């Protein structure tokens, strides 16, 4: 069983920045591929960013590329999402996810690629 706990969400003005954190339990965190998704009210959960087990490989949705950065610190069992130049339409609950059964890296852009999910943290972008 893997437990994921997101934090760092909050209210920010358009153009501002937030850094989300996802603290993970698990004995083999360094072997998990990780992802961030978001879900706005009435919308489907959508892919935001992914990162390989080692952190060497990253993947971003086109809408956030150049503004968001996913990273991880395996020593702290934590994945981060640095979000810059936030837009009001990016208001959503943001979720981290873990692929427990990992092999070689590939872009994991669907929720079906992940075995475990956190509870989400709310990000609200005003204006």
């Amino acid at each position: 069983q893997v437990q994921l706990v997101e934090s760092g969400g909050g209210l920010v003005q358009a153009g501002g920045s937030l850094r989300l954190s996802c603290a993970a339990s698990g004995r083999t965190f360094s072997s998990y591929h990780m992802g961030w998704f978001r879900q706005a009210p009435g919308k489907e959960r959508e892919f935001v960013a992914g990162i390989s087990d080692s952190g060497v490989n990253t993947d971003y949705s086109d809408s956030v590329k150049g503004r968001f950065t996913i990273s991880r610190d395996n020593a702290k069992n934590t994945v981060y999402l640095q979000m810059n130049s936030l837009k009001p339409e990016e208001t959503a609950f943001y979720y981290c996810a873990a692929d427990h059964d990992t092999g070689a890296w590939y872009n994991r852009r669907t929720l079906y690629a992940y075995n475990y999910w956190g509870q989400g943290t709310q990000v609200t972008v005003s204006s």
Side-chain angles (χ1 to χ4, degrees), residues 9-126:
L11 175 65
V12 64
Q13 291 185 342
S17 299
L18 286 173
R19 188 171 85 150
L20 306 183
S21 298
C22 175
S25 68
R27 299 155 294 172
T28 55
F29 174 77
S30 62
S31 70
Y32 304 160
H33 300 310
M34 302 292 295
W36 285 96
F37 289 72
R38 64 190 177 193
Q39 187 169 24
K43 297 279 192 174
E44 295 182 359
R45 194 169 298 188
E46 66 176 358
F47 171 79
V48 176
I51 189 166
S52 62
D53 51 3
S54 67
V56 170
N57 301 106
T58 57
D59 180 40
Y60 300 93
S61 69
D62 289 340
S63 65
V64 309
K65 194 172 298 183
R67 297 185 297 115
F68 289 14
T69 303
I70 187 170
S71 62
R72 68 193 295 160
D73 186 341
N74 286 347
K76 296 181 178 179
N77 278 22
T78 302
V79 177
Y80 305 96
L81 184 68
Q82 177 67 45
M83 305 184 294
N84 298 328
S85 301
L86 281 160
K87 304 173 182 179
E89 58 264 36
E90 293 175 315
T91 293
F93 268 91
Y94 283 68
Y95 300 87
C96 65
D99 177 12
H100 181 260
D101 300 319
T102 60
W105 167 255
Y106 65 93
N107 293 344
R108 292 165 165 83
R109 294 187 170 188
T110 74
L111 56 87
Y112 302 104
Y114 299 90
N115 306 111
Y116 301 100
W117 296 84
Q119 85 288 349
T121 186
Q122 185 177 7
V123 172
T124 302
V125 185
S126 65

